[in-house]
C-alpha cells in the first residue's frame, strides 16, 4: 500500500521468491551511480550479503525465502527455472558490473555452477544430451524436468568464461545450448514447450517428452539470448542458423494481425490454439536478442555493457 507505506506477503505464499529479492541489484546499483546517491546500492548490497551468508546446498539455493526472517524455506525446490533462475544470473552480472571487484559474488557464482554440475546435470538416453534437472524436498529427490527458463544459463556461462572463469563453464554452455535448441527443433512447430521432461533410463528410445499441460510457448527469450552470447564470443554461425530457425517458427505460428501471440500447443501445427496475448518480454527481450544475433556482432560491446535480466543494457563500472 503506497499510501500507508505498508506491505504484505503475496496471496499465493507467505514467502518471496528467491529470484525476486536477488534480481534488483544491477538496477539499484546503477541508480546509485546515476544519481550519486548511495542509498540504493547500499540497500541491495545488504540483501546480497545476507544471502551470501545463508547456508546453501553446494552453492544452490531454494526458490523461496521468508522476507521477515530472512531464511530460506526448508525443503523447498532447488531449480534454475522459475523463481530461482536470475539469482544465479545476477551473481555473475553484479561481479561484472562492478569491474570484477566484489569477490564474494564471484565465489558464490562459481560455487553454484559447481553445484549445478555435481547435483543437477544429467544426461539422456539414448543420445546422451545434457540437461539440468531439479531437486525436490530439500535435496532428497531429483526430478528430470527442465523449464525453458533454464536456457538462460548457456549465455550466462559464456559471459563468465569470457571474463576469465573456467573452460568447463563454456563446455557446459555449449552442450546445454544444444539441448535447448533441440527442445525447439524436435517440435513440428519449431517452438519449445514451457517444460520438457527428460529420459535417463538406458532402455529409453526418446530423449525427452512434453506433457499436455506444459506444451505452451510463451514467446520466451532465454534460448535466443544464449545463442546471442555464444555467437558473440565465438563467431560460430551455427548459433545464427539455430536462431533463424526459431524465428521462422515464431513467424509461422505466432504472428497475427496485431502482433504476436503465445500459443497453447507446440506439438501440433494444426492445433496451436493461440492465446491472444503477447508478453512484454517478447518485445523487450526475444526480438532484441534476435536482432543482436543477426546484427553486427559489435552492436553492443559486452566489455562495456551488461544486460540485466530483461535485456536492458547497463554500464560496467571500474569499481
Amino acid at each position: 500500500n503506497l499510501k500507508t507505506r505498508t506491505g504484505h506477503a503475496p496471496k499465493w505464499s507467505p514467502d518471496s521468491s528467491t529470484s525476486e529479492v536477488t534480481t534488483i541489484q544491477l538496477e539499484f546499483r546503477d541508480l546509485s551511480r546515476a544519481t550519486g546517491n548511495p542509498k540504493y546500492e547500499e540497500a541491495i548490497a545488504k540483501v546480497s550479503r545476507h544471502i551470501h551468508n545463508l547456508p546453501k546446498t553446494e552453492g544452490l539455493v531454494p526458490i523461496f525465502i521468508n522476507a521477515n526472517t530472512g531464511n530460506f524455506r526448508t525443503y523447498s525446490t532447488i531449480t534454475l527455472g522459475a523463481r530461482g533462475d536470475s539469482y544465479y544470473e545476477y551473481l555473475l552480472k553484479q561481479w561484472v558490473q562492478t569491474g570484477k571487484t566484489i569477490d564474494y559474488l564471484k565465489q558464490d557464482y562459481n560455487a553454484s555452477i559447481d553445484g549445478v554440475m555435481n547435483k543437477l546435470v544429467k544426461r539422456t538416453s539414448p543420445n546422451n544430451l545434457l540437461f539440468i534437472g531439479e531437486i525436490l524436498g530439500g535435496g532428497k529427490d531429483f526430478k528430470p524436468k527442465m523449464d525453458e527458463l533454464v536456457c538462460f544459463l548457456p549465455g550466462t556461462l559464456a559471459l563468465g568464461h569470457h571474463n576469465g572463469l573456467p573452460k568447463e563453464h563454456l563446455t557446459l554452455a555449449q552442450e546445454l545450448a544444444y539441448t535447448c535448441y533441440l527442445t525447439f527443433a524436435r517440435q513440428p512447430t519449431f517452438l519449445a514447450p514451457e517444460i520438457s521432461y527428460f529420459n535417463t533410463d538406458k532402455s529409453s528410445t526418446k530423449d525427452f517428452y512434453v506433457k499436455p499441460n506444459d506444451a505452451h510457448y510463451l514467446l520466451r527469450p532465454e534460448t535466443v539470448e544464449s545463442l546471442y552470447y555464444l555467437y558473440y564470443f565465438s563467431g560460430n554461425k551455427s548459433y545464427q542458423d539455430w536462431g533463424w530457425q526459431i524465428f521462422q517458427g515464431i513467424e509461422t505460428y505466432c504472428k497475427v494481425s496485431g502482433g504476436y501471440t503465445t500459443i497453447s500447443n507446440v506439438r501440433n501445427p494444426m492445433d496451436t490454439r493461440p492465446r491472444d496475448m503477447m508478453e512484454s518480454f517478447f518485445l523487450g527481450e526475444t526480438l532484441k536478442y534476435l536482432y543482436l544475433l543477426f546484427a553486427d556482432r559489435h552492436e553492443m560491446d559486452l566489455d562495456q555493457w551488461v544486460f540485466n535480466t530483461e535485456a536492458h543494457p547497463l554500464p560496467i563500472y571500474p569499481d
Side-chain angles (χ1 to χ4, degrees):
N1 188 311
L2 295 178
K3 183 177 181 180
T4 62
R5 298 189 178 186
T6 59
H8 61 82
K11 294 180 179 179
W12 44 263
S13 170
D15 298 328
S16 298
S17 299
T18 301
S19 59
E20 284 181 319
V21 302
T22 57
T23 313
I24 56 173
Q25 278 72 4
L26 290 179
E27 296 80 1
F28 273 48
R29 181 174 289 109
D30 192 67
L31 183 59
S32 277
R33 305 298 175 97
T35 62
N37 189 334
K39 69 178 183 179
Y40 308 108
E41 183 169 6
E42 290 169 356
I44 54 90
K46 183 178 179 180
V47 175
S48 292
R49 285 193 296 268
H50 173 80
I51 292 180
H52 165 68
N53 290 322
L54 291 177
K56 303 174 180 69
T57 302
E58 293 190 32
L60 304 174
V61 297
I63 60 172
F64 290 111
I65 188 169
N66 188 288
N68 294 315
T69 67
N71 294 322
F72 291 123
R73 184 196 294 179
T74 306
Y75 302 121
S76 60
T77 299
I78 292 174
T79 176
L80 269 71
R83 307 193 188 284
D85 45 5
S86 47
Y87 161 72
Y88 304 97
E89 177 187 1
Y90 269 37
L91 288 175
L92 176 74
K93 288 184 174 180
Q94 286 188 82
W95 179 64
V96 171
Q97 181 192 36
T98 54
K100 297 182 277 193
T101 59
I102 303 179
D103 288 339
Y104 80 83
L105 294 169
K106 175 185 176 182
Q107 292 163 5
D108 285 357
Y109 175 74
N110 280 332
S112 73
I113 300 305
D114 286 344
V116 167
M117 291 191 284
N118 291 337
K119 301 189 75 68
L120 300 183
V121 166
K122 303 289 182 184
R123 292 189 178 273
T124 67
S125 180
N127 292 307
N128 207 40
L129 301 177
L130 183 147
F131 72 96
I132 293 178
E134 300 179 350
I135 296 174
L136 308 180
K140 296 180 180 179
D141 301 307
F142 179 84
K143 191 172 187 178
K145 160 188 174 289
M146 189 172 82
D147 296 353
E148 159 64 12
L149 291 167
V150 176
C151 291
F152 84 92
L153 186 61
T156 299
L157 290 164
L159 179 64
H161 177 260
H162 174 72
N163 282 280
L165 299 188
K167 177 68 185 308
E168 292 79 9
H169 290 197
L170 181 61
T171 302
L172 175 59
Q174 293 166 336
E175 290 201 70
L176 181 59
Y178 180 59
T179 301
C180 290
Y181 162 71
L182 290 181
T183 64
F184 285 81
R186 289 190 179 177
Q187 299 302 328
T189 56
F190 226 102
L191 296 172
E194 182 71 357
I195 298 170
S196 297
Y197 286 82
F198 293 81
N199 292 315
T200 58
D201 189 278
K202 298 298 183 184
S203 63
S204 175
T205 59
K206 192 173 183 180
D207 292 294
F208 56 86
Y209 62 96
V210 181
K211 295 182 179 181
N213 288 342
D214 303 325
H216 46 288
Y217 174 63
L218 301 182
L219 300 169
R220 290 204 183 276
E222 285 75 19
T223 296
V224 293
E225 171 186 356
S226 286
L227 296 181
Y228 161 65
Y229 279 102
L230 286 164
Y231 171 69
Y232 182 95
F233 293 126
S234 71
N236 185 339
K237 293 184 180 297
S238 293
Y239 298 120
Q240 287 185 314
D241 294 338
W242 295 357
W244 182 250
Q245 292 172 315
I246 291 169
F247 177 63
Q248 292 304 303
I250 294 171
E251 284 286 290
T252 301
Y253 296 105
C254 299
K255 190 172 184 177
V256 293
S257 59
Y260 293 79
T261 180
T262 57
I263 62 174
S264 298
N265 184 18
V266 301
R267 302 184 302 169
N268 185 347
M270 306 304 294
D271 184 31
T272 59
R273 302 197 298 279
R275 294 184 169 190
D276 193 26
M277 179 177 68
M278 184 173 74
E279 300 281 358
S280 61
F281 55 68
F282 177 67
L283 299 177
E285 298 182 72
T286 309
L287 289 183
K288 184 182 292 183
Y289 282 123
L290 282 167
Y291 167 75
L292 290 171
L293 178 61
F294 301 123
D296 188 321
R297 66 172 296 200
H298 299 301
E299 188 84 13
M300 295 294 300
D301 185 346
L302 296 184
D303 289 322
Q304 298 294 322
W305 300 91
V306 60
F307 284 105
N308 75 351
T309 194
E310 301 300 326
H312 186 81
L314 299 172
I316 293 173
Y317 295 97
D319 54 40

